[in-house]
Amino acid sequence: MALVNVKDMMQAAREGHYAIGAFNTNNLEWTKAILETAEEQKSPVIIEVSEGATKYMGGYKVVADLVRDLFEAKKITVPVALHLDHGTYEGAKAALKAGFTSVMFDGSALPLEENIAKTKEIVTLAHFCGATVEAEVGAIGGEEDGVKGRGEVADPNQCKLIADLGIDMLAAGIGNIHGPYPANWLGLDFDCLAAIKAKCGDMPLVLHGGTGIPEDQVKKAISLGVCKVNVNTECQQYFAAATRKYIEEGKDLEKKGYDPRKLLKPGFEGIKEIVAIKMAMFGSTGKAC
């Protein structure tokens, strides 16, 4: 089995009324944790990486080789896609060249005409490579590697324009944000989501900012056509909390507790814990049996 694009995943999720978790990787531990948990939970999964994390990890080819090599070495049997998160025009092209099976071209900050033109180009190139494309309308709130928004609510008519360009998934701003949600957050705009669904039909929809959205809202969003939910911050939080606990308990000072294989293990297990929780929440657990 090889890495796949997300087309079949999205169709199965839409028909089965569940969503696929798209978990950002940042290094070896993250990638191993996501793959191992997907296999244990028998869940299809999307491993995604931001452009900033790609630079940190050594480039697009390094990321692609790491994911593929671990996938093969661990004899993973569930469907796994490798996706670029919030890609620029040049970043999306570089990811496709490196062998990513899916890319997001985030042209949401561009004038609509430019967003449309560049999305068309990326769609043509990606489909030629056998990859899938996610596009965005209405900037997602918070910040993701310099991509900023204010939680805009997307225009359903603009969503229809972008959806008709041949993309495979659509990320539409519905009040969601990246990172932790503030206490005064008003929640997701389900009227807007329903209107987007009505305009775009069977187009799989993507919910960014999956960290911190209450479970009932996540499940309602899935019922309205969301087939992919992005999670990054929560994995980072679980990793950091477990690592902090290990050090505060002085375990790094016991014998060879400073060995990175031991030092990073609690955080690794923390990532596995939250990934399993999210897969159950999204309804994808057992769907790769």
Side-chain angles (χ1 to χ4, degrees), residues 3-286:
L3 297 182
V4 298
N5 62 40
V6 304
K7 189 171 184 178
D8 290 342
M9 284 187 192
M10 293 296 98
Q11 181 177 346
R14 187 181 68 244
E15 294 173 354
H17 305 290
Y18 61 92
I20 308 296
F23 302 95
N24 285 61
T25 187
N26 294 280
N27 60 20
L28 172 67
E29 280 70 30
W30 249 263
T31 309
K32 284 175 58 182
I34 296 166
L35 285 172
E36 286 186 12
T37 307
E39 185 68 20
E40 291 164 3
Q41 300 300 318
K42 296 302 176 189
S43 171
V45 71
I46 300 167
I47 295 179
E48 60 184 21
V49 62
S50 67
E51 292 197 3
T54 298
K55 292 176 184 176
Y56 170 76
M57 293 173 69
Y60 293 99
K61 187 177 186 302
V62 172
V63 174
D65 288 348
L66 172 64
V67 174
R68 281 194 168 83
D69 289 349
L70 283 173
F71 177 86
E72 294 174 4
K74 289 186 167 294
K75 297 180 172 57
I76 303 298
T77 63
V78 301
V80 177
L82 174 57
H83 179 77
L84 175 64
D85 189 25
H86 287 282
T88 60
Y89 176 71
E90 294 299 333
K93 291 194 295 183
L96 291 169
K97 183 178 180 180
F100 279 51
T101 61
S102 186
V103 296
M104 176 185 186
F105 168 57
D106 184 355
S108 62
L110 301 174
L112 182 59
E113 294 76 12
E114 185 178 356
N115 188 3
I116 288 173
K118 289 187 173 179
T119 298
K120 284 181 178 179
E121 290 185 43
I122 296 300
V123 166
T124 299
L125 179 59
H127 289 176
F128 177 79
C129 297
T132 42
V133 178
E134 174 184 341
E136 181 175 334
V137 178
I140 309 301
E143 182 173 345
E144 182 89 3
D145 281 336
V147 179
K148 298 181 180 180
R150 294 180 295 177
E152 286 94 341
V153 174
D155 180 340
N157 291 317
Q158 289 188 5
C159 289
K160 173 64 173 172
L161 282 174
I162 298 296
D164 286 346
L165 300 178
I167 64 172
D168 304 282
M169 302 170 284
L170 177 68
I174 54 171
N176 44 321
I177 65 173
H178 290 118
Y181 283 74
N184 62 351
W185 181 60
L186 299 177
L188 299 178
D189 188 331
F190 291 111
D191 290 338
C192 177
L193 181 56
I196 292 168
K197 172 66 175 174
K199 286 281 186 181
C200 298
D202 290 335
M203 171 63 61
L205 303 177
V206 180
L207 181 64
H208 284 242
T211 293
I213 300 176
E215 183 171 354
D216 62 326
Q217 292 194 38
V218 171
K219 291 184 174 179
K220 185 172 182 179
I222 292 171
S223 75
L224 291 172
V226 166
C227 299
K228 173 178 178 276
V229 182
N230 287 20
V231 179
N232 183 20
T233 301
E234 211 156 356
C235 290
Q236 295 177 345
Q237 291 171 335
Y238 268 63
F239 180 89
T243 304
R244 182 185 304 111
K245 183 174 183 291
Y246 180 86
I247 294 174
E248 287 179 347
E249 291 177 350
K251 293 182 179 179
D252 59 314
L253 303 176
E254 297 174 2
K255 296 182 180 180
K256 290 190 176 183
Y258 52 81
D259 185 324
R261 291 170 292 182
K262 295 181 179 180
L263 181 63
L264 296 175
K265 185 176 180 181
F268 168 80
E269 296 294 342
I271 297 168
K272 292 188 65 175
E273 179 184 354
I274 188 58
V275 169
I277 290 170
K278 291 297 184 179
M279 286 175 169
M281 181 189 297
F282 303 157
S284 67
T285 302

